[in-house]
């Protein structure tokens, strides 16, 4: 079932064309309040279409990921399909297909705690991906322009640009909504109802419900899925957006300005008083109508200059507002660099420099849309001091220190005197001696990344 990139694009076009040809002018717009429904479409044919399945296979393999509870990896998928493809499609057609339970995996959150993921088997991921490819074009016509998460051609940077625009228009207060364990608390009956507002197809709705109720394997124990659509499968982000699209519709009808990225939703108002009023009414809607839990302790009204959204806060200059890494993001990356450069790690500098480069390229690439020249200048200086400290610690013996200082161009007598010092490592790292011997240029030649220069190159690209 493997196909080239050309086939992948062709499959995308055919999927979209098939939907349009069958008069799916039924997607409802939250702006126009159009209420027609997609009906008469054979979603079974669209989902199980050869090209759609080939495209789903390619994307599942490209995304890699760990095996589910059956142990099958993405590398095993092609062989399985060659043998069982006809049987698998028949079970999907006659309704006897039963998804496996998802495997519970926990990953650390940036701000502490653990995020629970549910990893489906690769076969279930293939089918979920095929469903998502057919449903996505329908709901893209439905979703709000103020929703940015898990959507094609939209990103966190687009969301932040919208935040800047709203601030410059005078919306200087934000209602920061925090939903507690959102993905794990989605009500199944309501979700099926919201999908059914736009898609009238019993085969598809029954298949989606099977995935929702497939259960979770937590170690060796099985847990029934009464609520939730666990993060980890290809279909989960789309279903989560469909559910919160009901919130988007209400906010739009009320004339409120908001920016939503998955379950991170910020509503922008012009006064703190209006913010508290909106926070209360929106929380009431979320808890009573959508049956999700608003974290009252973390949800707040404040200034976008201090609160963070998607890792960013705003700054204000002569040209208006601009994004910048939030203080928490700055502190977190410094803490991560501190862990990478610990004196007792006992790894080669070459390996350490590669780890730092890998970490910071991604971080700077994400935050390059904002202003952070001053922060990176200070971080560069601090990081070089950490590396000088690591060098000094690794040399250990006085003789080794003296030898290395001489190799770096220091006079023999001065090298011996400095090597015999009893000053602390951090103090030595800031000494003129190491600044003049282990210069910035020498550290860069040995592989230490220059963060400020990387930031400039990304912005100028």
């Amino acid at each position: 079932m493997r196909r080239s990139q050309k086939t992948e694009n062709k499959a995308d076009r055919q999927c979209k064309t098939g939907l349009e040809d069958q008069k799916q002018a039924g997607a409802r717009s939250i702006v126009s309040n159009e209420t027609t429904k997609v009906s008469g479409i054979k979603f079974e044919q669209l989902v199980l279409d050869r090209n759609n399945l080939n495209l789903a296979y390619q994307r599942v393999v490209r995304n890699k990921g760990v095996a589910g509870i059956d142990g099958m990896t993405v590398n095993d998928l092609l062989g399985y399909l060659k043998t069982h493809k006809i049987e698998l499609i028949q079970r999907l057609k006659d309704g006897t297909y039963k998804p496996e339970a998802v495997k519970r995996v926990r990953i650390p959150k940036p701000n502490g705690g653990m995020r629970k993921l549910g990893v489906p088997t690769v076969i279930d991921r293939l089918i979920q991906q095929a469903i998502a490819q057919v449903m996505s074009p329908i709901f893209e016509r439905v979703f709000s322009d103020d929703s940015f998460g898990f959507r094609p051609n939209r990103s966190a940077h687009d969301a932040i640009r919208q935040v800047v625009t709203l601030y410059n228009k005078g919306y200087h207060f934000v209602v920061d909504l925090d939903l507690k364990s959102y993905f794990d608390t989605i009500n199944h009956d309501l979700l099926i109802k919201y999908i059914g507002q736009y898609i009238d197809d019993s085969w598809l709705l029954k298949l989606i419900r099977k995935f929702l109720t497939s259960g979770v394997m937590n170690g060796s124990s099985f847990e029934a899925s009464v609520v939730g659509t666990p993060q980890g499968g290809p279909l989960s982000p789309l279903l989560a957006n469909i559910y919160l699209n009901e919130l988007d519709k209400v906010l739009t009808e009320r004339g409120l300005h908001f920016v939503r990225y998955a379950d991170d939703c910020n509503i922008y108002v012009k006064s703190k008083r209006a913010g508290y009023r909106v926070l209360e009414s929106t929380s009431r809607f979320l808890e009573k109508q959508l049956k999700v839990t608003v974290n009252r302790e973390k949800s707040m009204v404040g200034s976008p200059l201090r609160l963070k959204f998607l890792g960013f806060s705003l700054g204000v200059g002569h040209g208006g507002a601009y994004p910048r890494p939030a203080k928490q993001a700055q502190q977190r990356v410094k803490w991560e660099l501190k862990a990478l450069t610990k004196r007792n790690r006992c790894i080669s500098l070459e390996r350490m420099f590669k780890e730092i480069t890998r970490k910071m390229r991604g971080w700077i690439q994400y935050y390059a849309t904002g202003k952070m020249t001053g922060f990176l200048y200070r971080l560069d200086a601090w990081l070089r001091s950490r590396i000088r400290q690591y060098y000094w610690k690794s040399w250990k013996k006085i003789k080794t220190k003296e030898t290395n200082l001489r190799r770096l161009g220091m006079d023999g007598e001065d090298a011996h005197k400095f090597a015999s010092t009893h000053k602390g490592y951090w103090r030595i790292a800031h000494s003129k001696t190491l600044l003049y011997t282990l210069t910035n240029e020498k550290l860069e030649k040995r592989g230490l990344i220059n963060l400020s220069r990387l930031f400039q190159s990304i912005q100028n690209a």
Side-chain angles (χ1 to χ4, degrees):
M1 294 179 71
R2 190 185 300 273
R3 286 293 185 271
S4 66
Q5 184 68 37
K6 184 176 180 181
T7 304
E8 185 174 321
N9 294 334
K10 180 180 178 183
D12 266 333
R13 290 195 300 272
Q14 287 181 345
C15 179
K16 291 176 183 177
T17 302
L19 292 170
E20 290 166 358
D21 287 347
Q22 296 182 55
K23 295 183 181 178
Q24 67 145 3
R28 179 165 67 180
S29 166
I30 65 173
V31 177
S32 64
N33 290 321
E34 210 177 320
T35 56
T36 54
K37 183 185 289 187
V38 177
S39 57
I41 297 178
K42 295 293 184 181
F43 279 89
E44 175 187 322
Q45 296 175 11
L46 294 172
V47 171
L48 302 182
D49 174 77
R50 178 186 179 88
N51 289 324
N52 189 53
L53 290 174
N54 281 330
L55 177 58
Y57 167 82
Q58 291 165 2
R59 287 179 172 167
V60 168
V61 171
R62 187 169 64 242
N63 291 337
K64 299 180 181 179
V66 299
I69 62 170
D70 62 354
M72 183 185 297
T73 68
V74 291
N75 296 326
D76 303 325
L77 183 56
L78 183 60
Y80 174 88
L81 292 173
K82 285 181 178 178
T83 305
H84 300 284
K85 180 180 68 175
I86 296 175
E87 173 194 344
L88 175 63
I89 291 175
Q90 184 56 46
R91 284 193 289 133
L92 285 163
K93 285 182 176 180
D94 61 27
T96 59
Y97 177 80
K98 184 179 179 182
E100 299 281 0
V102 299
K103 181 168 71 174
R104 173 67 75 212
V105 176
R106 291 175 174 83
I107 60 173
K109 292 182 180 180
N111 57 349
M114 303 296 288
R115 174 175 283 112
K116 295 190 293 185
L117 302 182
V119 180
T121 65
V122 290
I123 299 168
D124 288 339
R125 296 210 292 268
L126 170 71
I127 298 166
Q128 286 191 30
Q129 181 64 43
I131 294 171
Q133 287 166 184
V134 169
M135 289 178 62
S136 183
I138 294 173
F139 283 96
E140 277 304 306
R141 299 184 179 192
V142 172
F143 290 152
S144 168
D145 286 339
D146 298 312
S147 164
F148 295 88
F150 305 123
R151 297 183 59 188
N153 304 315
R154 286 171 171 257
S155 68
H157 293 162
D158 296 323
I160 295 302
R161 280 190 281 270
Q162 179 77 340
V163 170
V164 171
T165 298
L166 289 171
Y167 189 91
N168 288 334
K169 288 182 177 180
Y171 295 91
H172 293 174
F173 291 90
V174 59
V175 179
D176 185 7
L177 289 168
D178 186 275
L179 300 182
K180 188 175 182 180
S181 303
Y182 167 66
F183 283 84
D184 295 323
T185 56
I186 291 175
N187 183 284
H188 292 170
D189 291 334
L190 287 177
L191 176 57
I192 295 297
K193 172 187 172 183
Y194 298 147
I195 297 172
Q197 290 176 348
Y198 307 103
I199 293 176
D200 183 16
D201 185 272
S202 60
W203 178 87
L204 182 65
L205 296 178
K206 286 178 182 177
L207 185 55
I208 291 173
R209 188 179 281 276
K210 284 184 178 181
F211 279 113
L212 293 173
T213 57
S214 61
V216 177
M217 286 300 297
N218 194 352
S220 58
S221 61
F222 175 81
E223 298 174 1
S225 300
V226 181
V227 293
T229 170
Q231 298 178 77
L235 191 55
S236 180
L238 176 60
L239 297 181
N241 265 337
I242 291 171
Y243 202 80
L244 279 185
N245 185 56
E246 299 302 307
L247 171 64
D248 297 347
K249 290 193 292 187
V250 168
L251 296 178
T252 301
E253 289 167 1
R254 294 177 182 176
L256 293 169
H257 297 278
F258 66 96
V259 179
R260 184 172 66 79
Y261 192 94
D263 58 327
D264 289 328
C265 184
N266 278 4
I267 307 169
Y268 294 86
V269 294
K270 292 189 175 182
S271 72
K272 185 171 285 192
R273 183 178 178 182
Y276 285 117
R277 187 173 63 249
V278 169
L279 174 59
E280 181 57 35
S281 62
T282 306
S283 298
R284 191 163 53 247
F285 170 80
L286 286 165
E287 293 181 335
K288 290 189 175 181
Q289 301 300 319
L290 297 190
K291 302 186 185 304
V292 294
T293 303
V294 177
N295 190 328
R296 301 281 179 160
E297 293 181 358
K298 293 185 178 180
S299 297
M300 62 188 72
V301 178
S303 168
L305 305 182
R306 288 187 293 274
L307 299 182
K308 70 179 179 72
F309 180 56
L310 304 178
F312 288 88
S313 293
L314 297 187
V316 179
H318 294 298
Y322 58 85
R324 61 181 179 181
K327 285 186 178 180
Q328 298 93 321
Q330 296 180 20
Q331 292 167 353
R332 189 179 305 125
V333 76
K334 191 172 181 179
W335 180 87
E336 289 170 348
L337 287 174
K338 190 173 184 178
L340 289 178
T341 57
K342 284 177 66 175
R343 297 199 309 261
N344 61 356
R345 287 195 70 199
C346 301
I347 63 172
S348 68
L349 268 300
E350 181 184 8
R351 177 182 163 188
M352 181 182 289
F353 290 161
K354 286 181 179 178
E355 290 178 356
I356 292 170
T357 298
R358 185 164 56 245
K359 169 66 188 174
M360 293 310 297
R361 277 191 184 278
W363 194 89
I364 292 177
Q365 189 77 47
Y366 179 75
Y367 287 103
T369 187
K371 290 186 179 182
M372 54 177 173
T373 304
F375 169 69
L376 288 182
Y377 178 82
R378 295 188 298 273
L379 191 63
D380 261 328
W382 175 85
L383 181 58
R384 286 191 286 261
S385 294
R386 293 283 299 179
I387 298 302
R388 291 186 179 103
Q389 176 183 241
Y390 193 88
Y391 268 108
W392 190 252
K393 173 75 161 50
S394 67
W395 291 343
K396 294 183 179 179
K397 297 180 179 180
I398 293 176
K399 187 64 178 177
T400 307
K401 293 174 182 177
E402 182 181 342
T403 301
N404 282 306
L405 288 172
R406 286 181 177 182
R407 286 175 180 171
L408 291 167
M410 198 172 183
D411 179 79
E413 186 177 340
D414 290 338
H416 177 74
K417 183 178 178 181
F418 191 78
S420 304
T421 183
H422 295 292
K423 293 178 181 178
Y425 294 118
W426 190 239
R427 187 174 177 183
I428 291 294
H430 291 84
S431 68
K432 290 183 178 180
T433 300
L434 286 196
L435 288 172
Y436 290 146
T437 51
L438 281 172
T439 63
N440 298 350
E441 291 74 18
K442 287 179 181 176
L443 291 177
E444 286 184 44
K445 273 189 176 181
R446 297 183 181 199
L448 181 63
I449 189 171
N450 186 307
L451 304 177
S452 300
R453 192 174 300 139
L454 174 62
F455 175 56
Q456 290 173 359
S457 67
I458 291 174
Q459 285 204 320
N460 295 333

